[in-house]
Amino acid sequence: MTVPEAAERGARTFVIGTVGPGGILPEAWVPTLVEAVEAGMDVASGLHTRLGSFDVLADAARRHGRRLIDVRVPRRDFPTGSGSPRSGKRLLTVGTDCAVGKKYTALALERALRARGVDADFRATGQTGILIAGEGVAVDAVPADFVSGAVEVLTPAAADDHWDVVEGQGSLFHPSFAGVSLGLLHGAQPDVFVVCHEPTRRTMRNVPAPMPSVAAVIETTIELGRLTNPDIRCAGVALNTAALVESEARRTLERCAAELDLPVTDPVRFGVDAIVDRLLAD
């Protein structure tokens, strides 16, 4: 639909639902955003570039009484992390790389836990997760010293049987984003983690660094995660097999499960029951 068609059909917010390296908002997009404001829409963005930094867009929003919503910008200050133990249970999705399915896996796990009567909440740590959940903290927009503290605030002490399912970001092995991933790991203090991996990828996203193995990610996550949770463990692996035909996907899952002695699934194709079974049995 065009912007006027969407407004006529009842759309009230224009959501920028894509992001490139660095989270930059291209100036060429601004006329379309102005058009949306003039059609009566608010504009919501998950990019690092603030919507109000474009004078023509900020002026249009003032004239038409519309909101410019920067989802990625934290709405409060955060303390530094303490590393102190807190009640409740937490699960973190971690990745071998960016864009391998950490958010989807976390959402699927939350839904599966709730379906079994478990008290569970999805905790969004990125802009798209916040748009889905309606709340959260985009940890890559928090100053480095406060990332772990922000995640502690996001996943506070809870009842002993409550699970926070925390959306992972980046990868401990990614040259660009490992700092964010480490702060998230320490702040979440996960009791368990699920590794997310795309098995056909050979280099990491937007850099020439080779992909780490799932086994290496498990080992490193446990080693680094023990700083704030000495009992951290891996509960399973979620493979993104979109690039494989189903027969090859099943063989890949079986091979990985045999190598790691863990439940392995593709959450989109086959659900997450195998991981939830292990999670609740331990």
Side-chain angles (χ1 to χ4, degrees), residues 80-122:
T80 55
S82 70
S84 300
R86 56 193 188 275
S87 58
K89 296 183 175 73
R90 281 162 290 279
L91 181 153
L92 175 67
T93 53
V94 303
T96 54
D97 192 10
C98 305
V100 289
K102 295 183 290 291
K103 175 172 57 267
Y104 185 90
T105 299
L107 287 163
L109 287 165
E110 181 220 26
R111 176 174 290 185
L113 286 166
R114 286 183 171 225
R116 299 195 189 194
V118 177
D119 184 20
D121 287 306
F122 170 74

Side-chain angles (χ1 to χ4, degrees), residues 69-277:
I69 305 163
D70 293 299
V71 176
R72 214 164 192 162
V73 178
R75 298 185 181 183
R76 55 159 292 174
D77 293 329
F78 296 104
T80 55
S82 70
S84 300
R86 56 193 188 275
S87 58
K89 296 183 175 73
R90 281 162 290 279
L91 181 153
L92 175 67
T93 53
V94 303
T96 54
D97 192 10
C98 305
V100 289
K102 295 183 290 291
K103 175 172 57 267
Y104 185 90
T105 299
L107 287 163
L109 287 165
E110 181 220 26
R111 176 174 290 185
L113 286 166
R114 286 183 171 225
R116 299 195 189 194
V118 177
D119 184 20
D121 287 306
F122 170 74
R123 300 300 186 185
T125 61
Q127 69 277 7
T128 309
I130 292 171
L131 287 167
I132 292 170
E135 60 183 354
V137 177
V139 292
D140 65 355
V142 175
D145 279 356
F146 304 96
V147 170
S148 61
V151 181
E152 289 182 0
V153 170
L154 182 66
T155 59
D160 289 342
D161 60 351
H162 175 83
W163 281 94
D164 275 341
V165 183
V166 187
E167 173 193 12
Q169 297 293 329
S171 170
L172 292 171
F173 288 77
H174 200 293
S176 304
F177 309 119
V180 172
S181 304
L182 182 61
L184 178 53
L185 174 62
H186 287 158
Q189 298 180 13
D191 299 279
V192 298
F193 62 94
V194 173
V195 179
C196 303
H197 177 59
E198 207 281 49
T200 70
R201 205 176 292 182
R202 296 294 171 259
T203 57
M204 306 187 81
R205 194 178 188 195
N206 298 320
V207 294
M211 285 282 286
S213 67
V214 173
V217 170
I218 292 173
E219 179 182 2
T220 299
T221 301
I222 290 174
E223 180 181 1
L224 298 176
R226 281 176 175 159
L227 177 67
T228 55
N229 189 337
D231 298 322
I232 184 174
R233 68 188 190 280
C234 183
V237 178
L239 294 187
N240 179 342
T241 65
L244 303 174
V245 299
E246 184 167 328
S247 58
E248 180 60 25
R250 290 186 181 277
R251 286 193 294 270
T252 302
L253 296 176
E254 291 168 1
R255 186 165 56 247
C256 185
E259 291 173 356
L260 299 170
D261 192 25
L262 287 168
V264 180
T265 187
D266 180 330
V268 173
R269 276 178 156 159
F270 309 120
V272 294
D273 283 342
I275 294 176
V276 173
D277 289 343

